[in-house]
Amino acid sequence: MSEHTPSIADLRKSYERAELNEDASHADPLLQFDQWLKEAITAQVPEPNAMTVATVGSNLRPSTRVVLIKGFDAEGIVWFTNYASRKGQELAGNPYAALQFHWVELERVVRIEGLVEKVSDEESDAYFHSRPLDSRIGAWASPQSEVISGRGVLIANAAKFGAKFLLQPPRPPHWGGYRLKPDNWQFWQGRKSRLHDRLRYTQQADGLWLRERLAP
């Protein structure tokens, strides 16, 4: 390591952009998420719709990957992917997952946990057919998470399926949406002196949300 390169242990940042408190936050976590996501989009942070998805395999080893949120409402958080991928296989065996949004420029993190289920075929079809043509062909061309000999496999597959389907590729049977139904949310706002704001929302038996402050 160069003598001019600082140690990662010495990297420091003072978080001073905003605050998060019980009086100024929404009682419903979905409304709080909607507000923060809109603020991230308005602030033009890089890829505000990017979220990390964490799953656990049958060997109890967790794995993460970044995907893009494609919708959310009272029913849950939606994204689309290859059902045969590692995350798809892990969700088939253990249908619980965790999501995380990290908007660095706003010094904010949102964590969401809950049960995951596939969206309806109609919902997957509607989104698939709204995608650009090359993305629709790509869904056929990539055997996601499988070992391949090189990039040439993807190029050849794309050419093959492009010639087969032309401008109207159907949705592959192995591709579609997932919806995570939250039962636990956490909102983290960076604050000075590492005394960060951290609110947790836990769904109660009656469907209402318990909002609590956690120590950072």
Side-chain angles (χ1 to χ4, degrees):
M1 179 182 296
S2 168
E3 61 180 296
H4 301 296
T5 302
S7 165
I8 60 173
D10 295 330
L11 296 177
R12 296 284 187 274
K13 177 181 178 180
S14 182
Y15 298 93
E16 303 178 17
R17 290 184 60 94
E19 64 181 48
L20 176 66
N21 61 59
E22 293 83 343
D23 295 331
S25 61
H26 293 281
D28 184 336
L30 187 67
L31 296 179
Q32 185 64 39
F33 175 72
D34 180 60
Q35 176 185 326
W36 272 19
L37 179 58
K38 287 177 178 176
E39 290 175 359
I41 294 171
T42 299
Q44 297 184 323
V45 305
E47 297 201 83
N49 55 334
M51 62 183 185
T52 299
V53 177
T55 56
V56 176
S58 59
N59 58 1
L60 303 184
R61 293 177 66 104
S63 62
T64 65
R65 70 289 289 161
V66 177
V67 303
L68 301 179
I69 182 175
K70 291 301 179 180
F72 67 95
D73 56 23
E75 295 300 313
I77 311 294
V78 174
W79 72 95
F80 293 86
T81 189
N82 188 314
Y83 289 144
S85 65
R86 178 178 177 180
K87 57 184 169 297
Q89 295 178 36
E90 292 182 346
L91 286 170
N94 176 13
Y96 288 90
L99 311 177
Q100 178 171 289
F101 293 83
H102 187 192
W103 298 308
V104 178
E105 293 77 6
L106 300 181
E107 301 172 355
R108 289 174 173 171
V109 174
V110 179
R111 296 164 56 187
I112 314 166
E113 300 174 16
L115 180 69
V116 179
E117 61 186 19
K118 290 181 179 179
V119 306
S120 68
D121 288 342
E122 292 76 14
E123 194 170 347
S124 289
D125 286 340
Y127 175 68
F128 182 80
H129 292 296
S130 74
R131 305 177 84 208
L133 177 60
D134 58 352
S135 296
R136 285 178 279 154
I137 293 296
W140 284 96
S142 175
Q144 194 174 107
S145 299
E146 294 184 14
V147 175
I148 57 176
S149 59
R151 184 172 177 80
V153 172
L154 300 178
I155 303 301
N157 283 349
K160 178 181 70 174
F161 288 112
K164 178 179 180 179
F165 296 126
L166 300 177
L167 299 179
Q168 299 296 329
R171 178 174 65 89
H174 58 263
W175 191 98
Y178 286 108
R179 176 178 286 105
L180 183 141
K181 302 172 73 68
D183 56 25
N184 187 294
W185 298 71
Q186 286 193 37
F187 295 84
W188 181 96
Q189 175 69 64
R191 296 295 300 275
K192 190 175 182 180
S193 302
R194 295 300 184 267
L195 301 179
H196 310 303
D197 290 328
R198 185 179 171 194
L199 297 183
R200 179 179 65 188
Y201 295 74
T202 307
Q203 192 169 40
Q204 305 301 288
D206 59 4
L208 298 179
W209 293 93
L210 173 64
R211 178 178 49 187
E212 300 171 297
R213 176 175 288 268
L214 301 182

